[in-house]
Amino acid sequence: GESVGLHLPTLSVQEGDNSIINCAYSNSASDYFIWYKQESGKGPQFIIDIRSNMDKRQGQRVTVLLNKTVKHLSLQIAATQPGDSAVYFCAEFHSGGYQKVTFGTGTKLQVIP
Amino acid sequence: NAGVTQTPKFRVLKTGQSMTLLCAQDMNHEYMYWYRQDPGMGLRLIHYSVGEGTTAKGEVPDGYNVSRLKKQNFLLGLESAAPSQTSVYFCASSYGRNNSPLHFGNGTRLTVT
């Protein structure tokens, strides 16, 4: 079946180091992906997206990599800061109809000062 | 521009009681969604709407009803609350065209005793 999952439930990194959060997806028809950040008590916040015709996209301190061959998505955060502590999850979009979306369960990122 | 606003933020219900969760968006989005988020699980779609006056079932619709009388508002109703409906509920909206991100509210934490 369709699924979006994360390899690591919790990731602890030292402040200033780079963080890498991974996501596996199973639907080869998915054509759009988003990384969301969710802080405690808040709703998911859009970080960065990527379309299936791309394999890399960069934002401010964040980079998303897409490997369609192995159906893998990663989020890289450069120079991780305490404010980056949150749960991160990926979302997989399949076009058609109401734009079906599958969300991963999330990885908790803990930044150690 | 407030984005997506949900009310109330918290609510405690007794089994069998009813309530309505309110969602409002000021981005002129066509599509609106109601999700529930439970520990260890990804966001699950309850109901959605692709435009004013239209609603449709998501993957976990039982026990819930929705209405979209105005484009900017999407209401989620629980007619007879059950403990299994204890969850955090998120409303989201999007332009609806392919590859358009979902924007989320900050959630309503509902406890049914």
Side-chain angles (χ1 to χ4, degrees), chain A residues 32 34 36 38 43 98-99 103, chain B residues 37 48 99-100 102 105-106:
Chain A
Y32 180 55
I34 293 179
Y36 284 96
Q38 187 174 19
Y98 69 92
Q99 193 185 19
F103 293 92
Chain B
Q37 187 176 48
Y48 65 98
N99 301 339
S100 60
L102 274 62
N106 281 326

Side-chain angles (χ1 to χ4, degrees), chain A residues 31-34 36 38 41-46 49 51-52 89 93-106, chain B residues 31 33 35 37 40-45 48 50 57-59 90 94 96-107 109:
Chain A
D31 56 5
Y32 180 55
F33 304 86
I34 293 179
Y36 284 96
Q38 187 174 19
K42 294 187 177 180
Q45 177 186 359
F46 173 94
D49 60 358
R51 291 171 172 70
S52 59
F89 57 88
F93 287 63
H94 336 139
S95 298
Y98 69 92
Q99 193 185 19
K100 181 174 171 59
V101 186
T102 303
F103 293 92
T105 55
Chain B
Y31 284 28
Y33 315 78
Y35 287 91
Q37 187 176 48
M41 305 182 75
L43 290 160
R44 293 185 293 167
L45 183 65
Y48 65 98
V50 300
K57 295 180 179 180
E59 56 182 303
F90 288 99
S94 74
R97 60 179 181 269
N98 288 346
N99 301 339
S100 60
L102 274 62
H103 298 263
F104 288 86
N106 281 326
R109 182 174 294 276

Side-chain angles (χ1 to χ4, degrees), chain B residues 83-102:
Chain B
S84 61
Q85 293 178 304
T86 294
S87 187
V88 181
Y89 292 86
F90 288 99
C91 176
S93 68
S94 74
Y95 284 112
R97 60 179 181 269
N98 288 346
N99 301 339
S100 60
L102 274 62

